Amino acid sequence: MDILNNLVTEANSILWGYILIGVLLILGLYFTIGSKFVQIRHIGEMLRLLGDKDVVEAEGEKQISSLQAFFIGAGTRIGTGNLAGVAIALAIGGPGAVFWMWLVAILGGASAFVESTLAQIYKEKDKVGFKGGPGYYMKKQLGKPWMSSIFAVTIILSFGTTFNAVQSNTIATAFSNSFGINTFVIGIVLAGLTALIIFGGVKRIANFSSFIVPIMAGFYIVLALFVVITNITEMPGVIAMIFKSAFGFEQVVGGGIGAAIMNGVKRGLFSNEAGMGSAPNAAATASVSHPVKQGFIQALGVFFDTILVCSATAFIILTSDAYGSGLTGIELSQAAMSEHFNSWAGIFLAIAIFTFAFSSIIGSYYYGEANLPFINKSKTGLMIYRFIALGMVIFGSVASLDIVWSLADFSMALMALTNLAAIGVLAPIAFKALDNYMTQRRQGLDPVFYADDIPGLKNVECWPKRQSDMPKKAVNE
C-alpha cells in the first residue's frame, strides 16, 4: 500500500504541480471572457430559475426539474470536500488556500456554465427521462467516441470508486471519533444504505438529494454565520490573513505560496467540480425549455458550494484554537466546531458529514452509471460496476486518509483534463446558446431552444427544429 501511495503521490505532483492548475486557470479565464462574465452578470437570472416550474412531457410524466437537477449536482458537490477537504487545505497550504479556492470558484462558474449547457444540448432520451454529459458531446459533436470511452473510464475511476472511498472514509472517521463505532461496521452499513438507493434509479436519487441537502447545508451555514457574528471583531484579521498568506506575505500554519495555490485549487476543484465533467451528468437529466437554464443553475451551484459552504468551514476553523493543533481532515473540523459550540457540535458535524457525504456517494455512483454504456452496455457490466462501487465504499471506511485522497486527486486530474480538452474546443457553442437565450429574454419571452438556432450542431436528438408557426410563450412575471 505504501508503494502505491508513493507512486500516486509522485504522479499527482506532476499533474497538479505542472499541468492541471495552469489548464484550469487559463481555460477558466477564456470561458469567463468568452461568455462576457456570465457567472457574475447573470446571478439574478440564476436565482430566478431555481423557481422554474417542472416540465411535463407529452406522455404526462413529470421529469426532473431544474431545482432537482441543481440538488443532484449539489448532492455530489457538498460533501467531504467542504468539511474535510477545506481542513486539509488549511492544514497543508495555510489560510491562503482559501483565496485560491475562491478564485477557482469564480473562474469555475464559467467552466460549469459551459459544460452544463453543452450537456443539455447533446442529451438523450432515457427510459425515465434524460441522460447526458461529456461523453455525449465528445461523441456527437467532436465525433470522437474513443474520447468518450476515456472519459467514461476516468469518471468511473474517480466518482464511481475512489471519490466514494473518500466520502466513506470521512464518514467512518467522524463517527468513530464521535461515537466510537468500528469503521468497518460503518462501511458495511453505508454499503447497505447505498445499495437500497442505487437500485432505485435516478428519480430516487433526485428525491433523496433534494430533500436532505438543503436542510443540512442550511443548518450548517446558520451555524457558520453564528460563528462569524460572535467573532466579528476577529473577521478583519482572518480575511487579511487569508489574502496575505495567499501571496506569501505572511507565513503561518501550513506551507508557502506554492502549497497554498496547489491545495486551494485541488480542494476547491474536488469540492465544486467545476470543469471536471461530473456536474454535466446531473445537468443533462433536467427537463427545461432552453439548455442555458441548466448552465445557469450549475454555475450557481459552484458559488453555493465554495463561496458559501467552503468559506463557512474555513471561518469556523480559522477563528478557533484548533487551527494549528496538528489535526487535519474531518478531525480538525470537528475540533473547531466543538470549541465554538461545545461537544454536541462534534456530534452534529458527524451527522452532517453523513448526510453530505452519503448524498455525494449516491450522486457520484449515478455519474459512473450514466457513462458506463460508453464502455459496456450489458446488464452484467452494470451489476459488476454496482458491486465494485459498493466495495469501494467499504474499502474507504477502513483505508488510511492519505491513500484515499491521493487516489481521488489522481483520478480527478485525469478526468478533468479529458473534459477540459473537449469543452475548450466546444465553448463557442455554449457562448452562442447564451446569446440566443438572452436575446429571447430581452424580448420578454421564456426562452425556448431549437436545434437549428445554432448553425453547425451535430446529432442533436432532444431539441426540435424551429417551426415558424409555433407560438412563443410569454414570461410569467
Side-chain angles (χ1 to χ4, degrees), residues 200-252:
V202 66
K203 286 193 175 180
R204 186 175 293 181
I205 295 170
N207 292 335
F208 176 82
S209 296
S210 62
F211 171 74
I212 202 68
V213 170
I215 294 174
M216 297 307 296
F219 189 50
Y220 183 68
I221 290 170
V222 167
L223 291 180
L225 286 173
F226 177 82
V227 170
V228 170
I229 293 170
T230 54
N231 293 273
I232 194 67
T233 57
E234 296 180 37
M235 292 311 298
V238 169
I239 299 295
M241 182 171 59
I242 288 172
F243 279 89
K244 289 178 181 178
S245 178
F247 298 99
F249 297 130
E250 177 178 324
Q251 296 306 315
V252 288

Side-chain angles (χ1 to χ4, degrees), residues 8 175 197 221 251 265 321 372:
V8 174
F175 270 69
I197 293 182
I221 290 170
Q251 296 306 315
V265 173
D321 292 332
L372 187 62

Side-chain angles (χ1 to χ4, degrees), residues 155-207:
I155 196 171
I156 288 169
L157 285 175
S158 53
F159 278 82
T161 54
T162 55
F163 279 23
N164 280 347
V166 168
Q167 308 291 351
S168 63
N169 179 272
T170 306
I171 293 173
T173 301
F175 270 69
S176 178
N177 288 340
S178 293
F179 306 108
I181 304 175
N182 182 277
T183 55
F184 179 71
V185 171
I186 296 171
I188 294 294
V189 172
L190 279 175
L193 293 173
T194 302
L196 288 176
I197 293 182
I198 66 176
F199 285 95
V202 66
K203 286 193 175 180
R204 186 175 293 181
I205 295 170
N207 292 335

Side-chain angles (χ1 to χ4, degrees), residues 331-343:
E331 293 173 298
L332 174 56
S333 298
Q334 284 183 298
M337 285 285 285
S338 296
E339 183 180 324
H340 287 296
F341 298 103
N342 298 320
S343 58

Side-chain angles (χ1 to χ4, degrees), residues 307-426:
I307 304 300
L308 283 181
V309 186
C310 285
S311 296
T313 301
F315 292 148
I316 287 170
I317 293 173
L318 291 175
T319 53
S320 74
D321 292 332
Y323 180 62
S325 64
L327 294 174
T328 188
I330 194 62
E331 293 173 298
L332 174 56
S333 298
Q334 284 183 298
M337 285 285 285
S338 296
E339 183 180 324
H340 287 296
F341 298 103
N342 298 320
S343 58
W344 69 265
I347 296 173
F348 162 75
L349 200 59
I351 297 171
I353 197 63
F354 173 82
T355 57
F356 290 156
F358 185 61
S359 65
S360 293
I361 288 173
I362 302 307
S364 295
Y365 162 81
Y366 170 70
Y367 289 168
E369 181 183 300
N371 287 273
L372 187 62
F374 291 110
I375 305 171
N376 188 301
K377 295 183 179 180
S378 69
K379 290 184 178 179
T380 301
L382 176 59
M383 292 302 296
I384 291 173
Y385 165 65
R386 284 178 171 172
F387 283 109
I388 290 175
L390 294 173
M392 287 299 289
V393 170
I394 298 172
F395 166 77
S397 68
V398 297
S400 71
L401 180 129
D402 287 344
I403 186 62
V404 293
W405 279 93
S406 293
L407 286 170
D409 287 339
F410 178 69
S411 59
M412 176 170 63
L414 296 179
M415 174 183 163
L417 285 172
T418 306
N419 182 59
L420 288 167
I423 64 176
V425 175
L426 298 175

Side-chain angles (χ1 to χ4, degrees), residues 86-102:
V86 172
I88 291 171
L90 288 171
I92 300 175
V98 178
F99 170 84
W100 295 102
M101 281 187 191
W102 290 340

